[in-house]
Amino acid sequence: MSAATTLRPPSRSPGRTAHAMAGRTKRTPRRVRGTTIPRGARKAVALSLLPGLVLFGTFFLVPFLVLVATAFARWGGLDFAWAGLDNYRRMLEDPVFFKALGNTLFYAAASVLIQVPLGVAVGMVLALRPRGWKALRTIIFVPFVISGAAYAVIFSMFYNPRSGLLNNVLGALGMPGDRDWLFDTATARWAVTGTFVFIIGFVVVLVMAEIASIPNELYEAASVDGASTRQQLTRITLPLLRNVIGTAILIRLLVDIGMFDLVFILTAGGPDDATATLALYAYRAYLGGEWGYANAVGSVIILIGLVLIVTVRRVFRIGERTL
Amino acid sequence: MSKPGTMIAATASAAALLAAVTGCGSDPYTSASGEVVITCATCQESPTDPFLQYNYEAAQRFNEAFEGRYQVETIENPNAGSSDDRLQYYQRLALAGDLPDVFQLNSAEITAMQETGRLHDFAPALEDDEEWAATFHDQAFDALTGPDGQIWAIPQQRDAIGIYYNTAMLEVAGYDEFPSTWDEFEDLAEALKRQGGIAIAMDGDWTTMLMWVNLIGTQPGGPEFLGEGIATMDDWGEDPVVTRATERLRDWHEQSYVNADAFSGDPQNAFAPYLTEEAAMVANGPWFVSTNLTTDAAAPDLYEHTGYAPAPGWTEGDRGTVIVSGAGWVSGTTDERGLEAVDAFVKFMSSEEEVLTQAAATGANPPVRVDPAATEAADLEPLATGLVTEAADLTYRYPHARVHGPAGFSTAWKNLWPAYVQGEMDTDEFLQRLTDDAASSGM
């Protein structure tokens, strides 16, 4: 006996699952409150949800509420006083905050404008299964699974002005090979960006999986109508990738607005905050014993995240079926 | 069993389990064999940190020496060594009333931690035991003292921090001895540069700051700034001593006397060029010998042709050196029996035998006066002990900026120094921002 059958109250109208299974009625099932769980099973359902709710409350809801509440306080661990909007006012007066905000948005934009289009393009090409596509897919995906810290260490060696590969190659090509890429204010932000915008493995895999789910009949019909491969890619594949492209953009944005480890290891936010991110800025405040201020910065990161989620979901109509 | 019966049994079992897990009902200071047990948060084994490893071995010796009376129990602590998070870690424990019985902090951390009101004051114990108190060097407690005469820590070491130099490279550049003035130092740097070498290796953090401190400390008024002004002035740029030193250090970068990768804050960027004989000099403490100079990372025979010198002076005969007391032992216990064990532990750690063992293991010099014969018999590292002896006759002795400076000094320096050297800001702006950012503890 299926769970749906078990949980369905025998004397009332069938729930959505039963309708879907039966597939015989034309009437849209009406959702009636409290009717989907039989009385006898409610306690069991509640109990089974309890561990999840406790974990959610302990590790997400409570910290989140503490963060939001203490963002309005002067709190350094040792002392606590409500401060109203002081933390936010101070943030608006601090040029370092705006530098960190600008850098964070810059990193996020670089991801969206370089990483996603590049990942989609490579994913579409690999989906055509050219010779060696499996090996290529693996090679492209490997950087994605390397830890951010290890990646940062590798790149700090790559950029080292004295012994790094980059300057040595430039020097061998007769170009100036003595620039300190990570600690020169003119190049630091670009050097940091260069370390992550080409990690496209995640987007490639998402795109390839989505392409694999597109019905073959569409391509066959297009082919019969005389559509070229390029036309099939641009008129069928690309539009049908809308959902997954939106998802990839959203994930990249959410990862990048919280960027910390890469920058912390590469430059610690310097020189002169040229590479600092909001997360790093909040961390410094925390180290300085200004926990309330750090949480105010944290709440700004959350707010930006929420705005991005809503915007990207709307623009890409994520979740809406295409076919 | 009935339902209520089951509930009662389950509750009782859970309570018993919880009590067993939390140790509720037992005395945390007494072991099963009746010893007073104290916890140490900086006594864990460490294959990489010679100070932690020494602490671990010393704690084992203490346990043997005081078997049946006191016992040190080691707490595994990711923040045991020096780290940016260490102060926050102990502040959190202080808030929870759960500080370890003994652990180590540096002077800046002690200054911040005294505000928690949870540190034990060792002043009464030192007053009660004058003989023990008299063993310490003069000013050994200067950086560990509270505003009302409290003594928050028992010093672990008293080191002179000098400049390591490659005697062979200096000879090739035409110098038989280490320069005695900064002008001579720059002449040497120029000569080394002409030969294609790096004059002095830096990292944008510890080693760079050491040279900044040396340039400040070897001027009249410099030690006073490093001892007090650095903590009280609103703008360090108002002190011409600081301005002169800052600009001279910046000029060394512009003149390419310093390695090109001198801004990352990674100490290896300073150590590696010296160890591979690309750089002729590097500033660091005596522990550099055991942690780097005598390891496989160093060029063969580098130790044999390495000298260790105090900083040159701005004028002839006015040399100086950094003197640090390093980390000190502090205590967070309030239990009387725990304090008895803590007193026994810190006395054990500052005994002549232990400080000599520590010196042999780490290169750190004793914070207490030691019989010269015992010192000689202990066969201590000659480079380090030589500088300590020489330091007594120098014109200037001064603390490191990280000792009396604000807690955020290091973070602010690492962030601003590269931009200043690249000409992104002038000296006045750099020093004003350094003062402000250091005071706001890392912001």
Side-chain angles (χ1 to χ4, degrees):
Chain A
M1 193 183 284
S2 74
T5 317
T6 315
L7 294 175
R8 185 158 51 89
S11 58
R12 299 186 184 182
S13 58
R16 276 200 299 185
T17 315
H19 275 296
M21 288 171 71
R24 276 180 291 193
T25 176
K26 286 182 183 171
R27 198 179 58 158
T28 309
R30 223 160 27 110
R31 192 170 172 165
V32 184
R33 253 185 199 202
T35 58
T36 48
I37 304 170
R39 272 184 200 285
R42 282 182 195 166
K43 220 177 245 178
V45 170
L47 272 175
S48 66
L49 285 175
L50 196 60
L53 286 174
V54 167
L55 290 174
F56 177 78
T58 308
F59 294 107
F60 178 76
L61 199 58
V62 171
F64 175 75
L65 293 175
V66 168
L67 181 141
V68 172
T70 55
F72 297 97
R74 258 188 299 278
W75 181 36
L78 303 178
D79 49 353
F80 184 94
W82 291 108
L85 293 170
D86 282 2
N87 286 332
Y88 292 97
R89 274 193 213 105
R90 181 180 148 193
M91 215 182 288
L92 294 175
E93 289 166 4
D94 187 355
V96 180
F97 167 76
F98 286 102
K99 253 187 186 178
L101 176 65
N103 291 336
T104 304
L105 296 177
F106 178 84
Y107 296 140
S111 275
V112 171
L113 297 176
I114 300 174
Q115 204 173 39
V116 175
L118 199 61
V120 170
V122 173
M124 286 168 72
V125 171
L126 289 186
L128 296 173
R129 308 199 167 185
R131 195 181 165 89
W133 69 276
K134 280 186 178 171
L136 273 173
R137 185 184 58 183
T138 307
I139 291 167
I140 288 168
F141 197 71
V142 164
F144 181 71
V145 295
I146 295 176
S147 88
Y151 211 76
V153 170
I154 292 167
F155 267 98
S156 63
M157 289 191 279
F158 173 77
Y159 283 129
N160 185 294
R162 205 166 53 83
S163 56
L165 182 64
L166 181 59
N167 274 353
N168 280 320
V169 169
L170 290 175
L173 295 172
M175 296 160 79
D178 57 355
R179 190 180 272 276
D180 194 346
W181 299 92
L182 286 171
F183 293 93
D184 185 327
T185 45
T187 57
R189 196 163 70 166
W190 293 100
V192 169
T193 308
T195 63
F196 65 86
V197 290
F198 301 112
I199 306 176
I200 57 172
F202 177 66
V203 182
V204 168
V205 169
L206 271 186
V207 167
M208 288 181 73
E210 185 73 1
I211 289 174
S213 71
I214 297 173
N216 222 19
E217 291 82 354
L218 288 176
Y219 294 104
E220 287 167 3
S223 192
V224 168
D225 289 344
S228 66
T229 306
R230 194 175 67 82
Q231 282 174 320
Q232 287 177 29
L233 276 176
T234 54
R235 304 276 171 86
I236 300 174
T237 310
L238 207 51
L240 291 179
L241 288 178
R242 189 199 72 229
N243 251 320
V244 82
I245 290 173
T247 305
I249 288 175
L250 192 55
I251 291 172
R252 279 315 327 164
L253 286 173
L254 294 181
V255 167
D256 291 334
I257 61 167
M259 185 185 283
F260 178 82
D261 55 350
L262 194 69
V263 175
F264 182 70
I265 294 170
L266 283 171
T267 62
D272 193 14
D273 306 304
T275 59
T277 60
L278 284 177
L280 193 72
Y281 179 74
Y283 172 73
R284 286 187 197 164
Y286 173 74
L287 275 189
E290 298 182 287
W291 298 1
Y293 188 66
N295 286 348
V297 178
S299 64
V300 168
I301 296 174
I302 292 172
L303 193 66
I304 294 172
L306 288 174
V307 170
L308 290 174
I309 289 170
V310 171
T311 309
V312 174
R313 280 183 67 88
R314 287 212 171 160
V315 169
F316 285 87
R317 290 179 284 128
I318 295 174
E320 289 180 26
R321 288 179 67 88
T322 312
L323 287 172
Chain B
M1 201 182 278
S2 66
K3 270 192 177 174
T6 311
M7 289 290 284
I8 291 166
T11 309
S13 306
L17 184 66
L18 197 64
V21 170
T22 58
C24 181
S26 66
D27 177 359
Y29 283 98
T30 309
S31 71
S33 54
E35 292 165 315
V36 178
V37 180
I38 53 170
T39 53
C40 175
T42 42
C43 297
Q44 66 202 47
E45 274 188 291
S46 172
T48 53
D49 187 329
F51 286 93
L52 283 180
Q53 183 61 26
Y54 160 74
N55 291 348
Y56 170 76
E57 289 166 9
Q60 305 311 308
R61 286 192 289 274
F62 174 82
N63 287 345
E64 274 177 34
F66 289 87
E67 193 176 357
R69 291 170 65 197
Y70 309 124
Q71 193 193 339
V72 170
E73 195 177 270
T74 297
I75 300 173
E76 288 296 323
N77 171 12
N79 296 297
S82 179
S83 81
D84 288 344
D85 296 333
R86 186 163 76 172
L87 175 61
Q88 290 288 320
Y89 171 76
Y90 287 120
Q91 279 180 333
R92 284 197 300 272
L93 292 182
L95 282 173
D98 197 24
L99 279 175
D101 296 317
V102 281
F103 57 106
Q104 291 175 310
L105 292 176
N106 65 36
S107 313
E109 291 164 336
I110 288 169
T111 305
M113 279 292 288
Q114 67 183 350
E115 289 171 24
T116 66
R118 304 274 188 177
L119 290 183
H120 169 63
D121 179 9
F122 285 100
L126 285 156
E127 279 166 23
D128 289 348
D129 192 342
E130 288 178 4
E131 197 182 330
W132 176 47
T135 61
F136 289 93
H137 283 294
D138 296 338
Q139 295 141 6
F141 294 96
D142 278 5
L144 310 169
T145 304
D148 300 317
Q150 303 97 326
I151 294 177
W152 300 122
I154 302 299
Q156 188 189 16
Q157 67 205 71
R158 182 181 179 276
D159 282 320
I161 298 181
I163 301 168
Y164 289 91
Y165 61 97
N166 186 317
T167 54
M169 288 177 78
L170 260 63
E171 272 174 32
V172 172
Y175 286 76
D176 294 332
E177 286 184 353
F178 192 78
S180 58
T181 66
W182 291 116
D183 289 338
E184 270 182 47
F185 179 90
E186 287 172 359
D187 292 342
L188 164 65
E190 189 61 39
L192 288 162
K193 187 179 92 173
R194 276 199 302 272
Q195 289 168 6
I198 297 165
I200 182 159
M202 297 188 199
D203 60 0
D205 190 2
W206 170 259
T207 56
T208 307
M209 283 188 263
L210 275 174
M211 293 311 291
W212 186 66
V213 165
N214 279 328
L215 283 162
I216 293 171
T218 47
Q219 299 179 66
E224 288 74 18
F225 168 79
L226 294 166
E228 200 177 324
I230 197 168
T232 57
M233 285 179 71
D234 291 331
D235 179 4
W236 300 339
E238 287 174 3
D239 190 333
V241 166
V242 181
T243 303
R244 263 199 304 274
T246 306
E247 289 178 346
R248 195 157 191 172
L249 183 60
R250 177 200 60 196
D251 292 347
W252 294 352
H253 287 78
E254 288 175 355
Q255 297 295 326
S256 299
Y257 298 156
V258 182
N259 47 313
D261 55 346
F263 299 108
S264 69
D266 181 352
Q268 282 310 315
N269 284 8
F271 300 162
Y274 185 81
L275 296 176
T276 54
E277 300 190 298
E278 287 174 84
M281 295 176 274
V282 66
N284 203 2
W287 49 85
F288 184 66
V289 174
S290 59
T291 55
N292 286 273
L293 211 48
T294 52
T295 65
D296 292 340
D301 303 329
L302 178 61
Y303 176 78
E304 280 70 33
H305 51 258
T306 284
Y308 197 35
W314 286 71
T315 50
E316 191 67 47
D318 283 335
R319 304 176 74 180
T321 194
V322 176
I323 299 283
V324 293
S325 57
W329 286 104
V330 296
S331 173
T333 188
T334 50
D335 180 90
E336 279 201 18
R337 284 164 314 144
L339 283 174
E340 198 183 293
V342 168
D343 280 350
F345 180 73
V346 292
K347 283 178 184 173
F348 176 82
M349 295 299 279
S350 56
S351 64
E352 183 171 290
E353 196 179 336
E354 273 308 313
V355 294
L356 289 174
T357 308
Q358 176 190 250
T362 65
N365 284 278
V368 294
R369 293 186 182 87
V370 179
D371 176 45
T375 308
E376 202 173 327
D379 194 22
L380 299 182
E381 166 50 46
L383 289 177
T385 50
L387 188 63
V388 169
T389 308
E390 198 177 349
D393 300 323
L394 296 175
T395 308
Y396 298 109
R397 285 177 296 278
Y398 37 86
H400 193 351
R402 293 225 290 211
V403 173
H404 288 289
F409 174 72
S410 183
T411 306
W413 177 279
K414 277 189 280 184
N415 183 38
L416 297 173
W417 179 249
Y420 168 63
V421 171
Q422 288 156 19
E424 296 290 325
M425 59 186 90
D426 63 20
T427 308
D428 286 343
E429 186 187 351
F430 168 68
L431 289 173
Q432 178 66 72
R433 286 189 59 190
L434 189 63
T435 315
D436 293 344
D437 291 3
S440 59
S441 301
M443 285 300 301

Short mmCIF file of all heavy atoms in Angstrom, two decimals, chain B residues 42-47 49-65 74 345 348-349 354 357-358 360-362:
data_model
loop_
_atom_site.label_atom_id
_atom_site.label_comp_id
_atom_site.label_asym_id
_atom_site.label_seq_id
_atom_site.Cartn_x
_atom_site.Cartn_y
_atom_site.Cartn_z
N THR B 42 47.58 25.81 26.34
CA THR B 42 48.72 26.00 25.44
C THR B 42 49.82 24.98 25.77
O THR B 42 51.00 25.30 25.76
CB THR B 42 49.29 27.43 25.55
OG1 THR B 42 49.32 27.82 26.92
CG2 THR B 42 48.48 28.41 24.77
N CYS B 43 49.40 23.78 26.06
CA CYS B 43 50.36 22.73 26.40
C CYS B 43 50.19 21.51 25.49
O CYS B 43 50.53 20.39 25.88
CB CYS B 43 50.18 22.28 27.85
SG CYS B 43 50.50 23.56 29.06
N GLN B 44 49.65 21.72 24.31
CA GLN B 44 49.42 20.57 23.44
C GLN B 44 50.66 20.26 22.61
O GLN B 44 51.49 21.13 22.37
CB GLN B 44 48.24 20.84 22.51
CG GLN B 44 48.48 21.95 21.51
CD GLN B 44 47.19 22.55 20.99
OE1 GLN B 44 46.28 22.86 21.75
NE2 GLN B 44 47.11 22.72 19.69
N GLU B 45 50.75 19.02 22.18
CA GLU B 45 51.87 18.61 21.33
C GLU B 45 51.79 19.35 20.00
O GLU B 45 50.70 19.59 19.49
CB GLU B 45 51.80 17.11 21.05
CG GLU B 45 52.45 16.27 22.11
CD GLU B 45 52.51 14.81 21.69
OE1 GLU B 45 51.44 14.19 21.62
OE2 GLU B 45 53.63 14.32 21.45
N SER B 46 52.93 19.72 19.48
CA SER B 46 52.94 20.38 18.17
C SER B 46 54.22 20.05 17.42
O SER B 46 55.31 20.31 17.90
CB SER B 46 52.83 21.90 18.33
OG SER B 46 53.03 22.52 17.08
N PRO B 47 54.07 19.45 16.24
CA PRO B 47 55.27 19.14 15.46
C PRO B 47 55.86 20.38 14.79
O PRO B 47 56.98 20.36 14.32
CB PRO B 47 54.75 18.16 14.40
CG PRO B 47 53.30 18.47 14.28
CD PRO B 47 52.84 18.99 15.60
N ASP B 49 55.33 23.92 16.08
CA ASP B 49 55.56 25.07 16.94
C ASP B 49 56.45 24.64 18.12
O ASP B 49 55.99 23.95 19.04
CB ASP B 49 54.21 25.60 17.45
CG ASP B 49 54.36 26.89 18.23
OD1 ASP B 49 55.41 27.08 18.88
OD2 ASP B 49 53.42 27.71 18.21
N PRO B 50 57.72 25.05 18.11
CA PRO B 50 58.63 24.58 19.17
C PRO B 50 58.22 25.06 20.56
O PRO B 50 58.49 24.39 21.56
CB PRO B 50 59.99 25.16 18.76
CG PRO B 50 59.70 26.23 17.77
CD PRO B 50 58.40 25.90 17.12
N PHE B 51 57.53 26.20 20.63
CA PHE B 51 57.10 26.70 21.95
C PHE B 51 56.00 25.82 22.52
O PHE B 51 56.03 25.46 23.69
CB PHE B 51 56.62 28.15 21.83
CG PHE B 51 57.74 29.12 21.66
CD1 PHE B 51 58.16 29.50 20.40
CD2 PHE B 51 58.41 29.62 22.77
CE1 PHE B 51 59.21 30.38 20.24
CE2 PHE B 51 59.48 30.51 22.61
CZ PHE B 51 59.88 30.89 21.34
N LEU B 52 55.03 25.46 21.68
CA LEU B 52 53.96 24.58 22.16
C LEU B 52 54.52 23.22 22.53
O LEU B 52 54.14 22.63 23.55
CB LEU B 52 52.89 24.40 21.07
CG LEU B 52 51.91 25.55 20.86
CD1 LEU B 52 50.92 25.20 19.76
CD2 LEU B 52 51.15 25.86 22.14
N GLN B 53 55.43 22.72 21.73
CA GLN B 53 56.02 21.41 22.00
C GLN B 53 56.79 21.45 23.33
O GLN B 53 56.68 20.53 24.14
CB GLN B 53 56.95 21.00 20.85
CG GLN B 53 57.56 19.62 20.99
CD GLN B 53 56.52 18.50 21.04
OE1 GLN B 53 55.42 18.65 20.51
NE2 GLN B 53 56.86 17.40 21.70
N TYR B 54 57.50 22.56 23.54
CA TYR B 54 58.22 22.67 24.82
C TYR B 54 57.22 22.70 25.97
O TYR B 54 57.40 22.03 26.99
CB TYR B 54 59.10 23.94 24.85
CG TYR B 54 59.43 24.31 26.27
CD1 TYR B 54 60.36 23.57 27.00
CD2 TYR B 54 58.74 25.33 26.93
CE1 TYR B 54 60.61 23.84 28.34
CE2 TYR B 54 58.98 25.61 28.26
CZ TYR B 54 59.91 24.86 28.95
OH TYR B 54 60.14 25.12 30.29
N ASN B 55 56.14 23.49 25.81
CA ASN B 55 55.12 23.56 26.88
C ASN B 55 54.57 22.18 27.20
O ASN B 55 54.35 21.84 28.36
CB ASN B 55 53.97 24.47 26.46
CG ASN B 55 54.37 25.92 26.39
OD1 ASN B 55 55.45 26.29 26.85
ND2 ASN B 55 53.53 26.75 25.80
N TYR B 56 54.33 21.42 26.14
CA TYR B 56 53.79 20.07 26.33
C TYR B 56 54.75 19.22 27.17
O TYR B 56 54.35 18.59 28.15
CB TYR B 56 53.55 19.41 24.97
CG TYR B 56 53.22 17.94 25.05
CD1 TYR B 56 51.95 17.52 25.46
CD2 TYR B 56 54.18 16.98 24.74
CE1 TYR B 56 51.66 16.17 25.56
CE2 TYR B 56 53.89 15.63 24.84
CZ TYR B 56 52.62 15.23 25.25
OH TYR B 56 52.34 13.90 25.36
N GLU B 57 56.02 19.26 26.77
CA GLU B 57 57.00 18.43 27.49
C GLU B 57 57.19 18.93 28.92
O GLU B 57 57.35 18.13 29.85
CB GLU B 57 58.33 18.44 26.72
CG GLU B 57 58.23 17.64 25.42
CD GLU B 57 59.38 17.89 24.46
OE1 GLU B 57 60.36 18.55 24.86
OE2 GLU B 57 59.28 17.43 23.30
N ALA B 58 57.15 20.25 29.08
CA ALA B 58 57.30 20.81 30.44
C ALA B 58 56.13 20.40 31.32
O ALA B 58 56.30 20.10 32.50
CB ALA B 58 57.40 22.33 30.35
N ALA B 59 54.92 20.39 30.73
CA ALA B 59 53.74 19.99 31.51
C ALA B 59 53.87 18.53 31.96
O ALA B 59 53.47 18.18 33.08
CB ALA B 59 52.48 20.18 30.67
N GLN B 60 54.45 17.69 31.09
CA GLN B 60 54.66 16.29 31.48
C GLN B 60 55.66 16.21 32.64
O GLN B 60 55.47 15.44 33.58
CB GLN B 60 55.18 15.45 30.30
CG GLN B 60 54.32 15.51 29.04
CD GLN B 60 52.85 15.27 29.30
OE1 GLN B 60 52.47 14.29 29.94
NE2 GLN B 60 52.01 16.18 28.86
N ARG B 61 56.70 17.02 32.56
CA ARG B 61 57.69 17.02 33.66
C ARG B 61 57.06 17.53 34.95
O ARG B 61 57.33 17.02 36.03
CB ARG B 61 58.90 17.90 33.28
CG ARG B 61 59.81 17.28 32.24
CD ARG B 61 61.12 18.05 32.12
NE ARG B 61 60.95 19.35 31.50
CZ ARG B 61 60.96 19.56 30.18
NH1 ARG B 61 61.13 18.55 29.37
NH2 ARG B 61 60.79 20.77 29.69
N PHE B 62 56.20 18.54 34.82
CA PHE B 62 55.50 19.06 36.00
C PHE B 62 54.64 17.96 36.63
O PHE B 62 54.64 17.78 37.85
CB PHE B 62 54.63 20.26 35.59
CG PHE B 62 53.76 20.80 36.69
CD1 PHE B 62 54.27 21.70 37.63
CD2 PHE B 62 52.43 20.42 36.79
CE1 PHE B 62 53.47 22.19 38.65
CE2 PHE B 62 51.62 20.91 37.81
CZ PHE B 62 52.14 21.80 38.75
N ASN B 63 53.93 17.24 35.77
CA ASN B 63 53.06 16.17 36.28
C ASN B 63 53.87 15.10 37.02
O ASN B 63 53.43 14.56 38.04
CB ASN B 63 52.27 15.52 35.13
CG ASN B 63 51.17 16.43 34.63
OD1 ASN B 63 50.81 17.40 35.30
ND2 ASN B 63 50.64 16.14 33.46
N GLU B 64 55.07 14.83 36.50
CA GLU B 64 55.93 13.85 37.19
C GLU B 64 56.43 14.41 38.51
O GLU B 64 56.42 13.74 39.53
CB GLU B 64 57.14 13.52 36.30
CG GLU B 64 56.88 12.42 35.30
CD GLU B 64 58.08 12.18 34.40
OE1 GLU B 64 59.23 12.33 34.87
OE2 GLU B 64 57.86 11.89 33.21
N ALA B 65 56.87 15.67 38.48
CA ALA B 65 57.44 16.27 39.68
C ALA B 65 56.40 16.44 40.79
O ALA B 65 56.73 16.37 41.97
CB ALA B 65 58.06 17.63 39.34
N THR B 74 45.89 18.69 29.48
CA THR B 74 46.01 19.48 28.26
C THR B 74 44.67 19.62 27.53
O THR B 74 43.95 18.63 27.36
CB THR B 74 47.01 18.80 27.30
OG1 THR B 74 48.27 18.80 27.95
CG2 THR B 74 47.14 19.55 26.00
N PHE B 345 52.66 25.68 39.14
CA PHE B 345 53.00 25.49 37.73
C PHE B 345 53.86 26.64 37.20
O PHE B 345 54.90 26.42 36.57
CB PHE B 345 51.72 25.35 36.89
CG PHE B 345 51.98 25.15 35.42
CD1 PHE B 345 52.47 23.94 34.93
CD2 PHE B 345 51.75 26.17 34.52
CE1 PHE B 345 52.72 23.76 33.58
CE2 PHE B 345 51.99 26.01 33.16
CZ PHE B 345 52.48 24.79 32.70
N PHE B 348 57.26 26.53 38.62
CA PHE B 348 58.00 25.44 37.96
C PHE B 348 58.51 25.91 36.60
O PHE B 348 59.67 25.69 36.25
CB PHE B 348 57.07 24.22 37.80
CG PHE B 348 57.68 23.07 37.07
CD1 PHE B 348 58.52 22.16 37.72
CD2 PHE B 348 57.41 22.87 35.71
CE1 PHE B 348 59.08 21.10 37.02
CE2 PHE B 348 57.97 21.82 35.02
CZ PHE B 348 58.81 20.92 35.66
N MET B 349 57.64 26.59 35.84
CA MET B 349 58.01 27.02 34.49
C MET B 349 59.07 28.12 34.51
O MET B 349 59.79 28.29 33.53
CB MET B 349 56.78 27.54 33.73
CG MET B 349 55.72 26.48 33.47
SD MET B 349 56.32 25.11 32.47
CE MET B 349 56.22 25.79 30.82
N GLU B 354 64.02 24.83 34.15
CA GLU B 354 63.06 24.86 33.05
C GLU B 354 63.36 25.96 32.03
O GLU B 354 63.24 25.75 30.83
CB GLU B 354 61.63 25.05 33.59
CG GLU B 354 60.93 23.76 33.95
CD GLU B 354 60.95 22.71 32.85
OE1 GLU B 354 60.66 23.02 31.69
OE2 GLU B 354 61.29 21.54 33.15
N THR B 357 66.01 24.73 29.85
CA THR B 357 65.49 23.69 28.94
C THR B 357 64.73 24.35 27.79
O THR B 357 64.86 23.99 26.63
CB THR B 357 64.54 22.73 29.70
OG1 THR B 357 65.23 22.26 30.85
CG2 THR B 357 64.12 21.56 28.83
N GLN B 358 63.92 25.35 28.17
CA GLN B 358 63.16 26.07 27.14
C GLN B 358 64.10 26.78 26.17
O GLN B 358 63.88 26.75 24.95
CB GLN B 358 62.25 27.11 27.80
CG GLN B 358 61.52 27.95 26.78
CD GLN B 358 60.81 29.14 27.38
OE1 GLN B 358 59.59 29.16 27.41
NE2 GLN B 358 61.55 30.13 27.86
N ALA B 360 67.08 25.95 25.34
CA ALA B 360 67.71 24.98 24.45
C ALA B 360 66.73 24.48 23.39
O ALA B 360 67.09 24.25 22.23
CB ALA B 360 68.23 23.79 25.27
N ALA B 361 65.45 24.36 23.78
CA ALA B 361 64.45 23.81 22.85
C ALA B 361 63.95 24.83 21.85
O ALA B 361 63.61 24.49 20.71
CB ALA B 361 63.26 23.25 23.64
N THR B 362 63.86 26.08 22.26
CA THR B 362 63.20 27.07 21.40
C THR B 362 64.12 28.22 20.98
O THR B 362 63.79 28.95 20.05
CB THR B 362 62.00 27.71 22.13
OG1 THR B 362 62.50 28.45 23.25
CG2 THR B 362 61.03 26.66 22.62
#
